[in-house]
Amino acid sequence: MFDLTARKDILVDIPPNGLKGARGAQEGIEAVFHELAHAIPKYGEEAEIHPVVYQRVVDATVGIDALTVEEARLEKALEVTRESKARLVNNREEDLSEIGAKALDKGTRGKKPHLLAHFEKTIEYRSRIATKAAATRKKNEAGAEESTSAQSNGGNQEGAGG
């Protein structure tokens, strides 16, 4: 489980496009942190850098690091959730196909035609994938024939012009 209560003070729900134009960290930021850790205590007052501004940088960095850890955990959880869902959908589809196949087999070869009526939607659902695949194959074959025909005609025209 994921509980972001500890991060509630830094979590913000921003409206769509609310981050348009927002800045991101640049290369070399770690060197800047190192420099500021040494320069601010010694020279911050002389440079008129208010301590609150630097503390916000430190606090933001701690928050960013914490949210980066949470983000990685949530991404992994989302990945596992999606994969688990896909597996369950696949297994369910295979089971539905098996139910439809058994009902069809018993209804036709088992000479129990009344089963066909009771499992009509399941049998039809099962056959959709095969029907769609056959239509796609037929379409692809027709496209390949047209392509071959066009190449043949194009080849004859080129030969006639030479």
Side-chain angles (χ1 to χ4, degrees):
M1 289 285 130
F2 294 95
D3 182 8
L4 297 175
T5 305
R7 313 280 183 239
K8 68 179 170 55
D9 294 338
I10 58 175
L11 291 174
V12 180
D13 187 11
I14 298 174
N17 298 318
L19 290 175
K20 188 173 185 179
R23 295 179 180 191
Q26 304 297 312
E27 185 177 327
I29 194 167
E30 293 298 326
V32 172
F33 294 153
H34 183 71
E35 177 182 76
L36 292 178
H38 291 85
I40 291 292
K42 292 182 181 178
Y43 306 104
E45 188 176 326
E46 182 181 342
E48 297 182 7
I49 299 168
H50 198 286
V52 171
V53 175
Y54 177 63
Q55 190 59 50
R56 283 197 312 249
V57 170
V58 171
D59 293 345
T61 302
V62 169
I64 291 165
D65 292 346
L67 290 177
T68 299
V69 169
E70 296 295 346
E71 184 179 30
R73 292 174 59 204
L74 290 168
E75 284 176 349
K76 184 61 179 178
L78 183 59
E79 174 191 335
V80 169
T81 301
R82 286 181 174 151
E83 290 169 352
S84 298
K85 178 183 168 187
R87 184 189 56 135
L88 286 172
V89 168
N90 177 70
N91 292 351
R92 179 189 66 190
E93 294 300 307
E94 287 180 358
D95 288 342
L96 288 171
S97 181
E98 183 179 337
I99 290 168
K102 291 270 187 188
L104 180 61
D105 183 56
K106 292 298 177 186
T108 54
R109 293 191 319 161
K111 297 183 181 178
K112 298 180 181 180
H114 65 282
L115 292 176
L116 298 175
H118 293 291
F119 291 93
E120 178 182 5
K121 287 181 177 42
T122 307
I123 293 168
E124 187 272 329
Y125 182 84
R126 173 188 172 266
S127 67
R128 281 185 201 160
I129 293 172
T131 303
K132 186 176 178 181
T136 301
R137 275 194 306 276
K138 187 175 181 180
K139 180 181 173 185
N140 289 343
E141 288 170 2
E145 287 176 14
E146 286 178 21
S147 177
T148 303
S149 176
Q151 287 176 354
S152 296
N153 289 339
N156 289 342
Q157 290 174 351
E158 287 177 13

